[in-house]
Amino acid sequence: MSFSTGSPRNSWQPIMTVDTATPSYWLNWRFLVCAVCVVASMISALIVILKYEGPRNSEQGSREDGEEPAGLLYEDEVWKPCLKGIHPAWLLAFRVVAFFVLLVLVILNVAVDGGDIFYYYTQWTFTLITLYFGLGSLLSMYGCFQNHNKVGGEETYKETFDAEQGTSVKNPNASKVGKHSRSDQPRQVRQTAGLWGYIFQIVFQMNAGAVMLTDCVFWLLIVPFLETKDYDLNFFIINMHTINAVFLLVDTALNCLRFPWFRIAYFFLWTAIYVVFQWIVHACFSLWWPYPFLDLSSPFAPLWYSSVGLMHIPCFGIFVLVMKMKHSLFSKWFPRSYQCVR
């Protein structure tokens, strides 16, 4: 994999330690402890998701404390920008560009190195963020189509924002309606997102944690180790571990998506599925591990697995801080235009 991981003269690949396809490799206390940790994290994640995900308890939450439930998402939040003055077409244009750039990089990676690049967590995450921008482009197209077809076009888009903020909007046809029509007119209710909107929101938060994890592990752990091996990093591998974060941060600055803490559960599930995939592959075939800390032959394997699991919290937390900083700065800089839920 010289093109994606380094120069041919200084290539490096993990060394086989033991035969992973033998029963003795799996029937031991190390794998048992690691399996318990992984399965427990998956069960805990599913419990959290079932408790908080979706708009199921929205009416109950509104009656009890007047606050929207953590898992609620409105349909327009998946495609409208966070600032009222930015037309949704600008967010659409950015997502389309990001999607095609990332897709080209994935195709080049597969063409040069083959399909076995998906043996790595990095390529899993890079593919996931590519799908995120692809789905986001489609949802933004739908949103722009909706916005364009509204009566009044751009003006209606602004009036909707004013209505959400609780300000009064002058009705140009008010003189033609009866005296009591304003009180009789039902208040417009925002429509909750559909299945694809929720999938988009979930993938957004999965990417937030996974991109931070892959880039932090690469730059803080793998790169220093490779430097000791005189390993040359080329432009392609550097780009694969930077452009994903850049595109995601720009989209975060532009979009109107929420970022509740409970969706860290999807991030844990994503990594746990990758680990289980690696276990199945190595149980069937004797292969080297793509990451040394996944090797179960080491007596420190449970410690490595626990450490990587705990890294999910600060990696996800970094993006939580990014969102808080966005809310704080944008609400000060654009107090009348900022329209994200905090």
Side-chain angles (χ1 to χ4, degrees):
M1 301 183 65
S2 60
F3 182 65
S4 64
T5 55
S7 65
R9 292 180 299 175
N10 297 312
S11 62
W12 175 85
Q13 185 168 296
I15 301 173
M16 279 285 298
T17 54
V18 295
D19 187 359
T20 63
T22 59
S24 60
Y25 185 85
W26 303 96
L27 301 178
N28 53 69
W29 67 272
R30 299 183 301 275
F31 172 69
L32 178 62
V33 173
C34 293
V36 169
C37 292
V38 172
V39 172
S41 67
M42 296 178 74
I43 293 176
S44 301
L46 289 173
I47 292 174
V48 171
I49 291 170
L50 291 174
K51 182 177 181 180
Y52 293 105
E53 185 58 85
R56 293 184 300 273
N57 301 320
S58 58
E59 294 182 359
Q60 180 180 357
S62 299
R63 288 196 302 266
E64 291 178 353
D65 52 19
E67 294 183 359
E68 295 177 341
L72 181 64
L73 179 71
Y74 290 112
E75 184 183 50
D76 58 349
E77 290 177 334
V78 303
W79 54 264
K80 73 178 182 181
C82 63
L83 299 179
K84 182 177 64 171
I86 301 178
H87 194 278
W90 288 106
L91 181 58
L92 167 62
F94 170 74
R95 285 174 172 173
V96 170
V97 171
F99 170 67
F100 279 106
V101 171
L102 295 173
L103 182 62
V104 167
L105 288 175
V106 171
I107 293 174
L108 287 175
N109 202 183
V110 173
V112 173
D113 295 327
D116 59 350
I117 62 168
F118 297 106
Y119 192 54
Y120 293 88
Y121 185 82
T122 298
Q123 272 69 27
W124 277 43
T125 300
F126 202 87
T127 303
L128 183 66
I129 196 171
T130 303
L131 294 175
Y132 166 78
F133 281 107
L135 179 57
S137 299
L138 294 176
L139 292 174
S140 288
M141 290 177 189
Y142 171 74
C144 288
F145 178 76
Q146 274 195 324
N147 185 63
H148 178 73
N149 284 346
K150 286 180 179 177
V151 178
E154 180 68 19
E155 187 63 29
T156 303
Y157 174 71
K158 295 179 180 179
E159 290 176 1
T160 302
F161 169 78
D162 293 334
E164 292 167 7
Q165 302 302 313
T167 59
S168 60
V169 181
K170 184 178 180 181
N171 186 354
N173 298 320
S175 59
K176 301 179 181 180
V177 188
K179 185 185 300 183
H180 303 287
S181 61
R182 180 174 297 181
S183 59
D184 296 337
Q185 186 175 4
R187 182 175 178 269
Q188 185 177 5
V189 179
R190 296 175 69 188
Q191 184 175 355
T192 56
L195 175 63
W196 289 110
Y198 274 96
I199 291 176
F200 182 66
Q201 169 72 52
I202 291 166
V203 174
F204 169 64
Q205 294 197 247
M206 287 171 60
N207 274 311
V211 166
M212 292 295 107
L213 180 63
T214 54
D215 289 3
C216 288
V217 168
F218 178 77
W219 290 109
L220 299 179
L221 297 179
I222 297 179
V223 168
F225 172 77
L226 295 180
E227 288 295 327
T228 64
K229 303 290 184 179
D230 295 327
Y231 187 78
D232 294 335
L233 297 174
N234 60 24
F235 172 78
F236 188 82
I237 189 60
I238 293 174
N239 200 34
M240 290 279 288
H241 289 88
T242 53
I243 197 171
N244 54 357
V246 171
F247 278 152
L248 187 61
L249 288 172
V250 174
D251 189 82
T252 301
L254 291 174
N255 70 36
C256 210
L257 294 174
R258 309 181 185 210
F259 206 88
W261 254 106
F262 81 89
R263 287 198 177 102
I264 192 177
Y266 292 101
F267 179 26
F268 273 99
L269 275 179
W270 175 253
T271 304
I273 291 172
Y274 174 79
V275 171
V276 172
F277 164 77
Q278 288 292 333
W279 285 351
I280 294 174
V281 170
H282 283 81
C284 298
F285 308 97
S286 183
L287 298 171
W288 46 270
W289 290 92
Y291 304 102
F293 47 81
L294 292 178
D295 190 355
L296 294 165
S297 64
S298 170
F300 299 104
L303 179 61
W304 279 112
Y305 274 73
S306 300
S307 299
V308 173
L310 291 174
M311 283 183 65
H312 284 58
I313 298 175
C315 288
F316 197 82
I318 290 174
F319 229 88
V320 173
L321 294 177
V322 169
M323 295 296 294
K324 288 184 179 295
M325 183 172 65
K326 170 189 172 181
H327 293 323
S328 177
L329 294 178
F330 281 24
S331 60
K332 292 179 181 178
W333 294 344
F334 314 101
R336 296 188 178 183
S337 180
Y338 190 58
Q339 53 184 337
C340 283
V341 177
R342 303 172 191 177

